[in-house]
Amino acid sequence: MSGQPKIRYGMAGGGEGAFIGAVHRMAAALDGEFALVCGAFSSDAERNRRSAEALGLDPARAYATLDALLAAEGAVPEDQRMEALAIVTPNHLHAPMAIAALDAGFHVMSEKPMALNLAEARAIAEAVARSGKLYGLAFTYSGYPLIEEARVRVARGDFGAIRLVQVEYSQGWLSEPIDREGNKQAEWRTDPARAGLGGCLGDIGTHAFQLAEHVSGLKVEQLSADLTAHVPGRRLDDDVAALLRFEGGARGVLKASQVAAGDENGLRLRIHGEKGGLDWSQMEPNTLTLRWLDRPAEIVRAGGPGLDASTMGRLRVPAGHPEGYIEAFANLYRSFGRALHADAASSPPPGAADWFPGVHDGLRTMAFVEAMIENSAGEAKWTSLAESPGRGG
Amino acid sequence: MSGQPKIRYGMAGGGEGAFIGAVHRMAAALDGEFALVCGAFSSDAERNRRSAEALGLDPARAYATLDALLAAEGAVPEDQRMEALAIVTPNHLHAPMAIAALDAGFHVMSEKPMALNLAEARAIAEAVARSGKLYGLAFTYSGYPLIEEARVRVARGDFGAIRLVQVEYSQGWLSEPIDREGNKQAEWRTDPARAGLGGCLGDIGTHAFQLAEHVSGLKVEQLSADLTAHVPGRRLDDDVAALLRFEGGARGVLKASQVAAGDENGLRLRIHGEKGGLDWSQMEPNTLTLRWLDRPAEIVRAGGPGLDASTMGRLRVPAGHPEGYIEAFANLYRSFGRALHADAASSPPPGAADWFPGVHDGLRTMAFVEAMIENSAGEAKWTSLAESPGRGG
Amino acid sequence: MSGQPKIRYGMAGGGEGAFIGAVHRMAAALDGEFALVCGAFSSDAERNRRSAEALGLDPARAYATLDALLAAEGAVPEDQRMEALAIVTPNHLHAPMAIAALDAGFHVMSEKPMALNLAEARAIAEAVARSGKLYGLAFTYSGYPLIEEARVRVARGDFGAIRLVQVEYSQGWLSEPIDREGNKQAEWRTDPARAGLGGCLGDIGTHAFQLAEHVSGLKVEQLSADLTAHVPGRRLDDDVAALLRFEGGARGVLKASQVAAGDENGLRLRIHGEKGGLDWSQMEPNTLTLRWLDRPAEIVRAGGPGLDASTMGRLRVPAGHPEGYIEAFANLYRSFGRALHADAASSPPPGAADWFPGVHDGLRTMAFVEAMIENSAGEAKWTSLAESPGRGG
Amino acid sequence: MSGQPKIRYGMAGGGEGAFIGAVHRMAAALDGEFALVCGAFSSDAERNRRSAEALGLDPARAYATLDALLAAEGAVPEDQRMEALAIVTPNHLHAPMAIAALDAGFHVMSEKPMALNLAEARAIAEAVARSGKLYGLAFTYSGYPLIEEARVRVARGDFGAIRLVQVEYSQGWLSEPIDREGNKQAEWRTDPARAGLGGCLGDIGTHAFQLAEHVSGLKVEQLSADLTAHVPGRRLDDDVAALLRFEGGARGVLKASQVAAGDENGLRLRIHGEKGGLDWSQMEPNTLTLRWLDRPAEIVRAGGPGLDASTMGRLRVPAGHPEGYIEAFANLYRSFGRALHADAASSPPPGAADWFPGVHDGLRTMAFVEAMIENSAGEAKWTSLAESPGRGG
């Protein structure tokens, strides 16, 4: 209930049978602040048409290509024209599409990873800078209310100086060679041409890394990695582990796997400081456990007592009414929409009420991917992460 | 992505500051299958106007009263006219509004409890029958995917004949006399004129009862109850317990409280049969635990292996991406919408793909409320539940 | 490491193949403060002999009957004579054996329930009074350290006045008619002549009741019960439910079942007061969860920060090293032993460092059993519990 | 109830105020199969005397030194002579004491780590070989029944070929510089002269490593480590992380910390193979979770259905009656005692009914400690583990 007119957005990718496009649409719809007006849903013309029909769109605004979309929408009267583009394609299209949309004057909300590699990511960052348009990146998990609470607690020093950061992301769905058995989701994710340099690393390792840096407020300076493809014939890693050294002396471990057979979507973050620590698991996202040296552990609950105002602003229903993945995703859209209404030039920094992940997170994660691959392939114990623009970039 | 035009709905109640109205709007919005077109959001004219504005509605369709709304919408061209009314007011308005809307030719989705008492509920049932319109009742918790899985498992005999049904709903938010300290939600819920015969009983005891009968597939035949108002001066019960006897010999316990200080929204259902049992908790709704006499317990997970097709149809994202309360609510709206598109005359029975709670559940729960109050006030050990229409009513 | 000589004890029952006798022996052995010196382990002479041999006892002190044991031990030199008798037989022998042993000048540690009925229990109480000997009753679960913490928290008013007491004890092992298929444990427990008035009621309902009164510090004044035998042909109840009314206005629910198929030993106690509540489950006994109206829930842990000294005195290893059922049992023996060394005339009251359950708990639980049976069989809504001696009796 | 005479054992260390000595005594006492007959409990004569008195020992068998004990006990009549020595001193005494005791003809049960370094450990191994006496090492966690179940499940191929091994051991008790503030336990554990090469590494990293190899049945071939001392002034590591490469291609992560503020004793092991995985946590040791690619996860419970006979043989009470740390420890003593009664020359191999950890585990863990330190101090990415004797050594 913002009282603002709905933001008109289009979608690249996300046609029939796709997974993440539908999630973007639900996330955008939840608060009633976005309206889907056009799309280039599929390179298959018939599928594209059917997708638009199913979504109740004007058939004239289902475009065969993104180029066609950008050209045509530019000519639509301003009060009906698309304002922002959601990019939900496989990874190799993220960079060219984002740059084209930004340069055509549209805001962009993109799926992660930002691009195939750091060079592409930097090109997007330049397009953001020259266009003055907003760029959001769907690091969905950082949209959870209790992730904001965790970030606030670390930032305000509840735990003292941070010593340990442990992050893990455990899935099992690629335990078998389903990428060679017709599973579309698996196919492109294990194809270097479409997925990029990393397999599991790019798909979920980046989520783990982004969450660790976002919540700890600390940058990884050095890492030591071991990337493995367990399933015979797989061309990209399906399992990742790394030792991390953060600025200021904190130590970390990052573990991500897509061959942890039987695991679903086990993203867990633990951070310990001098006085206590926090523990959060994505599969039970409405609980944040705080443990202390000198008093009993606390169960901080979404909607319960003791939350920061910034956390409360990311909740929709009272304590005990579970909110989940779609709501976390909707938080990113809501913040993105508010920045857009406010004519912001970029994502507000962490700590701002309506922060959302964007260029900064994209560049850091692509630098992480490249450093991981370099380290794992080499003999050196430690590899430094490439510098990247500061927060708010 | 149904490909159907959006269903146009209006809303009675749910203006600024209300809780459940916003939930209905999110639930209706999530899948993109409903559009809010009008409302009578508040008896306060200014609040009504502001609510409509915040929701982006045509100011002309923010009506001062429900009567005005029904009259005016009846005159709107059919392809723009409201089709269904969501009733999200305090309880005492449920019956008059539902009957008026049905008789004016609109479908109704109502908050629970159905009415102030069984007589009112029967009047609604008659209005449904004579109007031929759909009537949905927001027993939200029965919209959870794993509640459907639980129901299926019982119905197909996985546990053998049912012996035990234990249901509890534990909240603590009324532990203090906030109903006399300005809390609007608490005020009307503890006022017999607006809440009806039961306090905690009507507000959450009905949820517990509905879930127990819905999942077990068994009707309660007799009950023995103890209703208490623990907070001094409170006019309605804030704490409820009952022994239940089900058809066929199963025994049950129902416990509901709003003075379990510190508890959030602890709805839990356990059912045991000859061979094993199930255990589900609303606050972790994506897990259904099955225990067995002869083999290890199983953790059935939303989106995981082993689910019935009917359960899968109520899920939106893959295993490990938590869905919550709003998604459960959206499942009711989606089923309601599908029945509407299908020109169904009433809620399909449990087991149908798109079942949603309606007249049957409303009548049973109102009969339950009356039997509980009668038993608790009297000397008899057991009170029988009034007969009510069968399933599908 | 008490520095005291070991207490010499004998055992009635508990021969080969018995369950609870071995538990008593482990509990008594754990802290090195008891030594088993004699026994009448079985009415089967050969089994009795073999049991003594396996236990490394002098064959001359394996007696054919309890009478023989009492007579012979009375003639043993005082510094080698048995001091206390552990009674671990089926229920019907508890009272005659306890009375005989007490009257012969021996202390008694008995399995629960105290006796077959309240009259027998009162006869034991009289024998205790006239003998001046100690009488302990194995309400094992009240020996858990965090049960003591829970009791302390309630007693010192952390939660304010108590409003709700919920206790449940859920087992599934009698789901099938194993009592007629050769299972010895099941056989006598479902035989009224050996088990007493209650089946499930006496076996585990008494545990639930004792725990509820012990921790809440409140007596049940009235109850309304429903006892059921679900398994065809079973002569005693296998499932119990009751509504409870406590002194001072608190309300309670007690549920115990031995046909909750798949459940193991699910004893759980929840107590809520005006300000918060506690939650403890026997199967994870080292965690006590406290929930509060105005702040996050706390996880109080065995050995962790925040415990009362009385709790700490019941722990043996640091936090995170789980203690279990045998250690809880050993706490009863240790307290019993300390009272014995201190020449105490009876169990110290709750709150004393070395409290152990005894006559008071036995009389209350037998009164409970009789009231439950009377209520369940009759038409009256409420039955009052018989008066019984106060604490410390 | 073995029917065997009790094994007479002595103790080196473990006087007043010590922690682990008391645990050994409880573990040895639990099943009634060991009797403590002598000790050299403390180098402080008065403390030594008091300890013996408190334990009810003959004052003449409280010796001032281990040498005095070995000499004197050798002269005691054989049927009263000590048979085995429990060594529960700080680490630097483990090797000299074990060698002296073995060479004097006594069996040894030693606390871990085996020794200060691999050279010392090898010297013990030689003493074991030349003496023909038993040598047990208190890797307590491998005594848990469900650890045996986990080992059996992996060994029989339930999960297919193993791909991932994740082990962590998280404590927080050394978060502050209590080693310089009078805490005796902390003092010697952070003193290189008494603790050995590793701090956290030797104290708990070794437990994690032993458990990972024991359950997986796989040897670590290479590791990459990062050892840190977070607390200023601390001379040994208090935090450890490592990437592991196992024989056959499995990958692992090991994390151990004593500065994870607020954590208690968080030892957790996860192993994944091609078809599923297992998950076990020491703080809830009676649950073993199995997750599968193609069916719901299973909760395997101590005492519940589906256990291997080898697991059942390590349990003492029925399902739902929690067993804990002391019982796990007692399993090691029981197996050690059975091997002793059977005149076994060494610990039976894993898979044998009465396996207990010994020389093999000691050598492997000391090789691990040295490799970790070498790798962490150097520039090489990977360090190989030294070869060591095979199982059963």
Side-chain angles (χ1 to χ4, degrees), chain C residues 303-318:
Chain C
L307 297 177
D308 191 80
S310 173
T311 306
M312 290 303 295
R314 285 167 166 82
L315 287 161
R316 288 170 180 78
V317 279

Side-chain angles (χ1 to χ4, degrees), chain C residues 1-3 19 25-26 29-30 54-55 141 264-265 282-284 301 316-318 320-322 324-327, chain D residues 1 3 19 23 25-26 29-30 54-55 141 264-265 282-284 301 316-318 320-322 324-327:
Chain C
M1 304 219 303
S2 68
F19 153 53
R25 289 191 296 265
M26 290 188 280
L30 188 67
L55 291 165
Y141 303 111
E264 294 179 349
N265 200 38
Q282 191 269 150
M283 298 212 297
E284 303 297 1
R301 292 273 305 162
R316 288 170 180 78
V317 279
H321 299 74
Y325 175 75
I326 296 172
E327 288 84 352
Chain D
M1 303 220 305
F19 153 54
V23 176
R25 289 191 295 265
M26 290 188 281
L30 188 68
L55 292 165
Y141 304 110
E264 294 178 350
N265 201 36
Q282 190 270 151
M283 299 212 297
E284 303 297 2
R301 291 274 304 163
R316 287 170 181 79
V317 279
H321 299 74
Y325 175 76
I326 297 172
E327 288 83 351

Side-chain angles (χ1 to χ4, degrees), chain A residues 152-220:
Chain A
V152 167
R153 298 269 183 161
V154 172
R156 75 185 188 205
D158 286 15
F159 309 111
I162 299 307
R163 288 174 172 164
L164 306 178
V165 178
Q166 291 169 268
V167 66
E168 60 181 63
Y169 198 150
S170 195
Q171 298 181 333
W173 69 291
L174 287 178
S175 293
E176 296 180 325
I178 59 173
D179 33 330
R180 284 173 291 148
E181 292 164 0
N183 181 306
K184 298 283 175 196
Q185 297 289 332
E187 243 177 59
W188 73 256
R189 278 181 170 82
T190 57
D191 172 5
R194 287 179 286 174
L197 302 170
C200 170
L201 176 61
D203 197 31
I204 63 174
T206 51
H207 275 302
F209 177 84
Q210 189 267 345
L211 207 67
E213 284 205 340
H214 176 64
V215 176
S216 72
L218 298 173
K219 285 188 190 171
V220 172

Side-chain angles (χ1 to χ4, degrees), chain C residues 212-225:
Chain C
E213 285 205 340
H214 175 65
V215 176
S216 73
L218 299 172
K219 285 189 190 170
V220 171
E221 291 182 338
Q222 288 185 300
L223 53 76
S224 186

Side-chain angles (χ1 to χ4, degrees), chain A residues 51-378:
Chain A
S51 299
E53 184 183 358
L55 292 165
L57 293 189
D58 177 353
R61 292 173 87 176
Y63 303 98
T65 64
L66 181 67
D67 286 346
L69 183 152
L70 295 175
E73 287 294 318
V76 167
E78 195 174 350
D79 65 347
Q80 296 174 36
R81 187 189 304 160
M82 173 183 93
E83 298 166 87
L85 178 72
I87 301 175
V88 297
T89 62
N91 302 350
H92 66 298
L93 299 173
H94 291 179
M97 285 186 162
I99 293 169
L102 289 161
D103 284 343
F106 298 102
H107 305 286
V108 167
M109 172 64 85
S110 174
E111 255 311 305
K112 43 55 55 185
M114 193 178 195
L116 291 179
N117 51 50
L118 184 54
E120 275 193 4
R122 287 186 171 135
I124 296 175
E126 287 161 18
V128 171
R130 73 175 166 259
S131 69
K133 294 295 164 185
L134 290 177
Y135 177 82
L137 198 50
F139 282 113
T140 314
Y141 303 110
S142 51
Y144 274 108
L146 290 186
I147 282 296
E148 175 63 5
E149 183 68 20
R151 195 197 58 73
V152 167
R153 298 269 183 161
V154 172
R156 75 185 188 205
D158 286 15
F159 309 111
I162 299 307
R163 288 174 172 164
L164 306 178
V165 178
Q166 291 169 268
V167 66
E168 60 181 63
Y169 198 150
S170 195
Q171 298 181 333
W173 69 291
L174 287 178
S175 293
E176 296 180 325
I178 59 173
D179 33 330
R180 284 173 291 148
E181 292 164 0
N183 181 306
K184 298 283 175 196
Q185 297 289 332
E187 243 177 59
W188 73 256
R189 278 181 170 82
T190 57
D191 172 5
R194 287 179 286 174
L197 302 170
C200 170
L201 176 61
D203 197 31
I204 63 174
T206 51
H207 275 302
F209 177 84
Q210 189 267 345
L211 207 67
E213 284 205 340
H214 176 64
V215 176
S216 72
L218 298 173
K219 285 188 190 171
V220 172
E221 291 182 337
Q222 289 185 299
L223 53 76
S224 186
D226 196 14
L227 272 60
T228 312
H230 286 276
V231 173
R234 189 159 285 163
R235 290 172 293 166
L236 290 171
D237 65 276
D238 51 26
D239 183 65
V240 171
L243 308 178
L244 307 176
R245 291 181 161 182
F246 288 82
E247 56 181 334
R251 294 293 189 263
V253 173
L254 181 148
K255 173 74 199 171
S257 186
Q258 295 182 314
V259 295
D263 285 7
E264 293 179 349
N265 201 38
L267 175 60
R268 182 184 184 193
L269 177 66
R270 284 176 284 179
I271 295 180
H272 287 85
E274 298 159 312
K275 305 173 192 171
L278 66 83
D279 191 346
W280 180 84
S281 286
Q282 191 271 150
M283 299 210 299
E284 303 297 2
N286 298 297
T287 294
L288 173 67
T289 305
L290 307 182
R291 297 193 184 89
W292 305 104
L293 266 189
D294 60 353
R295 58 186 194 276
E298 291 173 290
I299 309 173
V300 173
R301 290 274 305 162
L307 297 177
D308 190 79
S310 173
T311 306
M312 291 302 294
R314 286 167 164 83
L315 288 160
R316 287 171 180 79
V317 280
H321 299 75
E323 300 189 50
Y325 175 75
I326 296 172
E327 289 82 352
F329 217 126
N331 283 342
L332 302 192
Y333 265 92
R334 189 161 60 181
S335 290
F336 184 79
R338 287 179 185 167
L340 197 157
H341 280 305
D343 264 333
S346 64
S347 169
D354 288 312
W355 171 84
F356 59 90
V359 167
H360 169 84
D361 306 85
L363 290 172
R364 287 295 297 166
T365 48
M366 293 315 303
F368 161 74
V369 166
E370 295 203 351
M372 290 284 285
I373 289 170
E374 177 188 327
N375 182 274
S376 184

Side-chain angles (χ1 to χ4, degrees), chain A residues 1-4 15-16 19 23 25-26 29-31 51 53-55 141 144 169 264-265 282-285 287 301-302 304 316-327, chain B residues 1-4 15-16 19 23 25-26 29-31 51 53-55 141 144 169 264-265 282-285 287 301-302 304 316-327:
Chain A
M1 303 220 303
S2 69
Q4 299 275 10
E16 281 181 5
F19 153 53
V23 176
R25 290 190 296 265
M26 290 187 280
L30 188 67
D31 297 308
S51 299
E53 184 183 358
L55 292 165
Y141 303 110
Y144 274 108
Y169 198 150
E264 293 179 349
N265 201 38
Q282 191 271 150
M283 299 210 299
E284 303 297 2
T287 294
R301 290 274 305 162
R316 287 171 180 79
V317 280
H321 299 75
E323 300 189 50
Y325 175 75
I326 296 172
E327 289 82 352
Chain B
M1 304 220 304
S2 69
Q4 299 274 10
E16 281 181 5
F19 153 54
V23 176
R25 290 191 295 265
M26 290 188 281
L30 189 67
D31 296 308
S51 298
E53 184 183 356
L55 292 166
Y141 304 111
Y144 274 108
Y169 197 150
E264 295 179 349
N265 201 37
Q282 191 270 152
M283 299 211 296
E284 304 297 1
T287 295
R301 292 273 305 161
R316 288 169 180 80
V317 279
H321 298 75
E323 299 190 50
Y325 176 75
I326 297 173
E327 288 83 351

